[in-house]
Amino acid sequence: MKIFLDTASLKEIREAAALGVVDGITTNPSLLAKESGDPEQILVEICNTVDGPISAEVVATDAEGMVKEGRHLAALHKNIVVKIPCIAEGLKATKVLSGEGKRVNMTLIFSPTQALLAAKAGARYVSPLVGRLDDIATPGMELVADIIEIFDHYDWECEVLAASLRHPMHVLEAAKMGADIGTMPASVFAALLKHPLTDSGLRRFLEDWEKAKALLAAKAGR
Ligand code: G3P
């Protein structure tokens, strides 16, 4: 599974990207609004930091406006993927932009049939928002499973991007299901690596090594 970070924070992106396992970034207007600075400059800087798909979302709600904004965003950098909400106007815009060879990430997907239509419109990625379904007592992971099952039957070049992953168990479940991509906040990404037994085990190895060295030095000095 490819690992994407769901953030527009350059600090978080630089720290995580330094580990060498971040494949891409997803942003949205809410995430960009949290950052200070020009959103387009931030997007370009993100693209220069992570050489992978970087989702930038349109804010127009009519097809014509989405296409115009999508073309503008795509022209900012070769890594930009145009993120478009899964509404009727969004499908029309996706059809146009994908026809021009631009990659579209269709977002705000909450049903398998929305994902089906997004793929048919030519979306390169579909983003089911797992945590937001969990928030309303609907199992978000079942949606990811349904979409994977549907896509497995066909030869579409559309990847399942499990989004709104709120904790490491979401990431684990998405990976076990075979989601193509999981996108998560930097805090969840950091939690994937952490294990208390790794920390205590490393501490013990190093302490034992120091003791062995001290013993050798004492013997040599005798
Ligand atoms: O882009 C969608 C994703 O950022 C949503 O995550 O946690 O706000 O539901 P969340």
Side-chain angles (χ1 to χ4, degrees), residues 81-202:
V81 170
V82 182
K83 202 171 177 190
I84 293 185
C86 192
I87 56 176
E89 293 297 297
L91 281 182
K92 292 182 205 167
T94 297
K95 185 82 183 168
V96 174
L97 290 169
S98 63
E100 294 174 0
K102 295 176 179 62
R103 292 173 298 172
V104 172
N105 172 5
M106 191 140 251
T107 189
L108 292 172
I109 297 227
F110 294 103
S111 79
T113 51
Q114 287 180 315
L116 174 69
L117 295 180
K120 287 191 64 70
R124 183 70 176 71
Y125 308 93
V126 285
S127 289
L129 302 196
V130 174
R132 293 199 184 181
L133 279 172
D134 287 357
D135 287 342
I136 55 161
T138 304
M141 271 302 158
E142 286 181 15
L143 171 60
V144 178
D146 282 345
I147 297 172
I148 291 171
E149 185 182 341
I150 293 168
F151 283 20
D152 273 351
H153 294 303
Y154 306 101
D155 203 17
W156 296 327
E157 206 195 348
C158 183
E159 295 184 61
V160 181
L161 194 168
S164 184
L165 302 181
R166 304 265 180 81
H167 48 72
M169 284 308 290
H170 273 156
V171 180
L172 176 61
E173 285 176 63
K176 284 170 81 172
M177 277 174 192
D180 299 293
I181 304 157
T183 190
M184 66 208 72
S187 57
V188 174
F189 173 72
L192 299 182
L193 181 63
K194 269 297 208 202
H195 200 291
L197 289 178
T198 305
D199 295 341
S200 62
L202 178 60

